[in-house]
Amino acid sequence: MNTIKLYLRSMAILMKCQFQYPVSFFLQTIGQLVMEGGEFLAVLLIVDRFDTLHQWTPGNLYFFFGMMSVSFYLTECFGRGVTGNFPNMVRTGQLDTVLLRPRGVLTQVLCSAIDPRRITCIAIGSAALVLGSRLSQVQWTWWKGLLLIEAIGMSMFLILGLFLIEAIFCIYSVKSVEMVNALTYGGRSACQYPVDIYPRPLRTLFSAAVPFAMTLHVPAACILDRSLYGWPSWTAFVSPLSGLVFFTAVYLAFRKAILHYRSTGS
């Protein structure tokens, strides 16, 4: 409970710092809006070019896009410390100070940064979700709402786990490894669309190795009253847990990597 209070207080302080320069914050937020709006425009162009994509209607595609955008940018907003601050902590030796404090390393890293500019990206994702559900004529029930929340929450764990992989590489290489972005930002771009439209190697990658299909696509298909793999509907509540399993495995690897850290020598 104390950790949660510490995190919330840190977020409040960081938010106050962000608003110290309102013009800069506003302009950068607009830039994020243009960027994510461009990605949504690409989906609109695909929908305009094709009536359906495999078994999916335009409304379905908007729904998938919205779920991925909300999940990814919520994680990036509150997990900015892992992607933005941690590599610099390793390079400058600031991680030494973090290790001396009576709090977990990941907790301190998460408390070190926030990126509220992503709120516009989250807003576009939310709008796509609403538009997709209306065009798909989703009949919302309490269990579908619960499934949506579970899918987004478990996807955030999955994405945070991917960010931690980059942090692990930083410990061993003392710098950020851009190759990992193929799984994080590349996975986000690819998995904005249903996984069954891709060839088998990519379906395997995003179903087993980096289980976006399990955490997002299976629940989304169930909410849309469709079937992705032909599985019974109850599996839609179980498959998102793969995101938590993935995060747990990567977190254990992260803790082991911390033991390898040897400071900068300064």
Side-chain angles (χ1 to χ4, degrees), residues 3 10 16 70 194:
T3 300
S10 299
K16 186 176 180 180
V70 171

Side-chain angles (χ1 to χ4, degrees), residues 63 129 133-134 137-142 144-146 148 223:
F63 194 83
L129 266 177
S133 64
R134 289 186 176 181
Q137 298 181 342
V138 175
Q139 300 297 320
W140 286 101
T141 60
W142 67 268
K144 285 187 177 181
L146 183 63
L148 177 64
I223 293 173

Side-chain angles (χ1 to χ4, degrees), residues 118-226:
R118 302 298 184 185
I119 189 172
T120 52
C121 301
I122 298 169
I124 290 179
S126 301
L129 266 177
V130 174
L131 178 62
S133 64
R134 289 186 176 181
L135 292 178
S136 301
Q137 298 181 342
V138 175
Q139 300 297 320
W140 286 101
T141 60
W142 67 268
W143 66 266
K144 285 187 177 181
L146 183 63
L147 181 58
L148 177 64
I149 294 173
E150 180 192 7
I152 292 176
M154 293 300 103
S155 296
M156 290 176 65
F157 274 110
L158 170 60
I159 296 164
L160 184 59
L162 291 173
F163 289 161
L164 278 179
I165 292 177
E166 183 175 356
I168 292 171
F169 275 99
C170 286
I171 293 173
Y172 288 97
S173 66
V174 199
K175 63 179 180 179
S176 178
V177 179
E178 295 300 324
M179 180 184 67
V180 182
N181 290 339
L183 294 178
T184 52
Y185 297 96
R188 172 186 62 84
S189 298
C191 293
Q192 288 173 348
Y193 304 95
V195 72
D196 62 344
I197 69 173
Y198 296 113
R200 184 180 297 275
L202 285 179
R203 293 202 305 269
T204 302
L205 172 65
F206 292 122
S207 296
V210 186
F212 278 114
M214 299 294 103
T215 57
L216 271 178
H217 295 173
V218 171
C222 183
I223 293 173
L224 295 169
D225 297 318
R226 294 178 180 271

Side-chain angles (χ1 to χ4, degrees), residues 108-128:
Q108 295 184 64
V109 171
L110 289 175
C111 289
S112 67
I114 189 174
D115 191 358
R117 299 171 304 166
R118 302 298 184 185
I119 189 172
T120 52
C121 301
I122 298 169
I124 290 179
S126 301

